[in-house]
Amino acid sequence: MSWIPKSANSGRCDESKPSCTRCQRYGALCSYPPVASGKANVAAAISKPDSVMSSLSLSDLTSRIEDILKSDQGFNASHIEPNSAHPISVLAFQHFINSSTQTVGNPSIRAVMKSDMIRVSFTVSPSPFLTLTRTGADEGMPSQSPYLMYTILAVGTLHLNRISPDNKMRRFAETYFWQRAIKLYQAALTSKVTRQNVDSLLSTCMFMGLITLCPEDMKPTDSWVLSDKPDAMNWLCLQSGLRCIINLAGSYVDSSIWGSAFQQAHKEEIQLYEQGIQVGRDGLDPDLADLCGVDEFTSAKTNPYYEPLRLLAAIFGLERNFKNSAQCATFMGRLETDFLALLRIKDPAALLILVQWMGLMCTLSHWQPWSEGRLRCEAIAICMYLEHSPDPRVLRLLEFPASACGYPLLNDS
């Protein structure tokens, strides 16, 4: 997903039609599309996931969303109802459909997000708080857990807030939506993945990492590299969550709403990552290979740096465009536990691999503006941490990411 951070567009949308000049300047779809009213066919922009959604009016959509949220024990309408003609929940939902999904580079993934995933969000999963057999004591308790709907609303609100951050009520709503989404999603994960909940779990997981990728007012000193906070690197570990859910889901994935899209993405990844050399250092940067202890016999089984190095070499060879920028973004979700452990102890070689990718994402921020939210700051922090190294290879390897993220190295004249 792609977002415009606060630092990129701190003013309000100028509301020029059909697309405001401020949003055009920062590569965003306009965050103030005309709001439908009365019996307008709001859901026509949802790619008609089913006949019900394609016929909803704005009032119908409002009622449907509120019905879903009211199934949650923690729901409080006053938390999301601003002093406005339209609820924040509806505006966030519309923005997610009309704008947020448009930033997804993979067309097959984007198509599911705009269609089947929306249908699933209105047919929410069984509540993890209830037993399978209802008893008299259960009567009157909620029978559903709307974590996917909360997640969609949280993403839509986050996107709006990063584009135009001066709405206090909407900022409160974003916090509330994320809080409910995370709490209910965590509860759902305590139960088994089933054919009935796999669509909701996979869909929710795909968005959960966004809140950590798009923080407000991020500074380089907030990075785990320059701080002693044990949880400061959790944002990166969270990006591999989808892989864990897929492993837990097993055979249910192929029959899920994501089955076909994941299969297509997998075919493309095989073409990109598994057709090249799998042993040795050919195609790798010589200095980086030396620092990582890679020789002609090294493989992923013998060296924790090797797989990230090969992934990096593959994506650096791609043409820089919208679709490929989305493929480059998947790097962070492919990092294995052994490599993450090296990053956590601030291993210089591991940091150099990661900052090369961060630098690449900075150059792709035209298509992936969310990179401005955290990655640019993290890249600067790594440059600050490593620039005092006496090893000339480290300094040479810092030149590209430092230039890409806009950090002047100390040895630059």
Side-chain angles (χ1 to χ4, degrees):
M1 302 291 289
S2 304
W3 311 111
I4 304 296
K6 178 177 179 180
S7 59
N9 186 2
S10 59
R12 288 192 60 85
C13 170
D14 60 24
E15 301 186 68
S16 300
K17 306 301 180 185
S19 177
C20 73
T21 54
R22 185 180 298 277
C23 291
Q24 285 178 329
R25 184 183 309 162
Y26 294 103
L29 293 178
C30 182
S31 60
Y32 289 86
V35 178
S37 60
K39 296 297 182 179
N41 188 355
V42 174
I46 307 177
S47 298
K48 298 184 179 180
D50 57 37
S51 59
V52 174
M53 286 299 299
S54 65
S55 62
L56 287 179
S57 67
L58 183 60
S59 59
D60 293 332
L61 182 60
T62 301
S63 297
R64 290 286 297 274
I65 292 175
E66 289 187 356
D67 285 345
I68 295 293
L69 300 186
K70 286 176 181 176
S71 69
D72 168 31
Q73 287 176 309
F75 174 79
N76 185 330
S78 64
H79 287 166
I80 63 168
E81 293 291 341
N83 185 20
S84 171
H86 306 287
I88 285 179
S89 57
V90 173
L91 297 178
F93 186 88
Q94 288 183 300
H95 188 82
F96 177 88
I97 295 297
N98 297 329
S99 296
S100 301
T101 56
Q102 293 301 107
T103 66
V104 178
N106 186 302
S108 57
I109 298 294
R110 182 171 63 247
V112 177
M113 287 181 179
K114 291 173 68 69
S115 56
D116 286 333
M117 192 186 78
I118 299 303
R119 173 180 52 78
V120 171
S121 74
F122 280 99
T123 312
V124 291
S125 307
S127 171
F129 302 109
L130 297 183
T131 57
L132 292 178
T133 303
R134 294 183 64 86
T135 65
D138 294 328
E139 293 300 327
M141 293 180 65
S143 60
Q144 298 173 321
S145 179
Y147 51 88
L148 177 55
M149 177 59 77
Y150 272 125
T151 302
I152 289 172
L153 299 181
V155 171
T157 312
L158 181 150
H159 197 180
L160 283 168
N161 284 341
R162 299 308 182 268
I163 293 171
S164 181
D166 58 347
N167 187 315
K168 292 183 179 180
M169 178 61 76
R170 201 168 58 210
R171 290 176 65 184
F172 179 82
E174 180 193 337
T175 301
Y176 176 75
F177 290 146
W178 278 121
Q179 187 271 331
R180 296 307 301 163
I182 292 170
K183 182 178 179 66
L184 295 174
Y185 179 60
Q186 287 177 331
L189 290 176
T190 63
S191 303
K192 291 183 178 179
V193 181
T194 67
R195 194 179 305 277
Q196 288 70 40
N197 66 16
V198 67
D199 292 334
S200 293
L201 289 174
L202 288 172
S203 300
T204 301
C205 185
M206 293 175 74
F207 295 101
M208 272 294 162
L210 280 176
I211 189 173
T212 61
L213 288 174
C214 305
E216 290 189 285
D217 303 319
M218 172 78 182
K219 302 181 296 293
T221 51
D222 295 327
S223 170
W224 92 96
V225 178
L226 298 179
S227 73
D228 295 322
K229 299 176 182 178
D231 60 346
M233 205 187 86
N234 286 356
W235 70 270
L236 185 56
C237 299
L238 284 173
Q239 307 311 315
S240 60
L242 182 62
R243 189 172 66 224
C244 297
I245 298 295
I246 289 175
N247 289 337
L248 290 172
S251 60
Y252 298 137
V253 176
D254 287 343
S255 59
S256 75
I257 60 173
W258 296 104
S260 178
F262 284 178
Q263 289 171 14
Q264 179 60 37
H266 182 62
K267 290 178 182 177
E268 295 172 1
E269 289 163 3
I270 289 177
Q271 288 294 113
L272 176 61
Y273 299 118
E274 297 185 15
Q275 300 302 310
I277 300 170
Q278 301 299 312
V279 177
R281 53 189 286 147
D282 287 351
L284 303 181
D285 181 281
D287 286 344
L288 198 51
D290 287 343
L291 286 168
C292 294
V294 175
D295 59 29
E296 58 183 317
F297 303 108
T298 302
S299 69
K301 293 182 179 180
T302 62
N303 187 313
Y305 303 106
Y306 194 76
E307 185 66 17
L309 282 171
R310 282 295 173 201
L311 294 173
L312 199 64
I315 60 178
F316 262 85
L318 293 173
E319 178 183 353
R320 297 187 183 181
N321 56 38
F322 178 43
K323 183 176 181 180
N324 287 340
S325 71
Q327 183 62 249
C328 293
T330 67
F331 175 87
M332 59 183 169
R334 300 176 185 278
L335 301 178
E336 299 288 348
T337 303
D338 290 348
F339 186 76
L340 291 172
L342 291 170
L343 290 173
R344 195 172 289 280
I345 63 172
K346 306 174 187 179
D347 174 77
L351 290 175
L352 281 168
I353 292 174
L354 185 65
V355 80
Q356 299 301 313
W357 170 72
M358 289 176 171
L360 175 63
M361 293 309 300
C362 287
T363 69
L364 299 174
S365 62
H366 173 73
W367 296 291
Q368 302 291 325
W370 59 268
S371 303
E372 303 290 348
R374 175 180 286 277
L375 294 192
R376 188 176 295 274
C377 285
E378 295 283 0
I380 290 173
I382 294 175
C383 289
M384 294 170 65
Y385 183 79
L386 294 177
E387 69 177 337
H388 301 285
S389 172
D391 192 328
R393 296 172 300 181
V394 173
L395 298 179
R396 186 192 70 77
L397 289 165
L398 283 179
E399 290 177 1
F400 164 70
S403 175
C405 71
Y407 179 72
L409 294 170
L410 289 177
N411 64 337
D412 287 347
S413 56

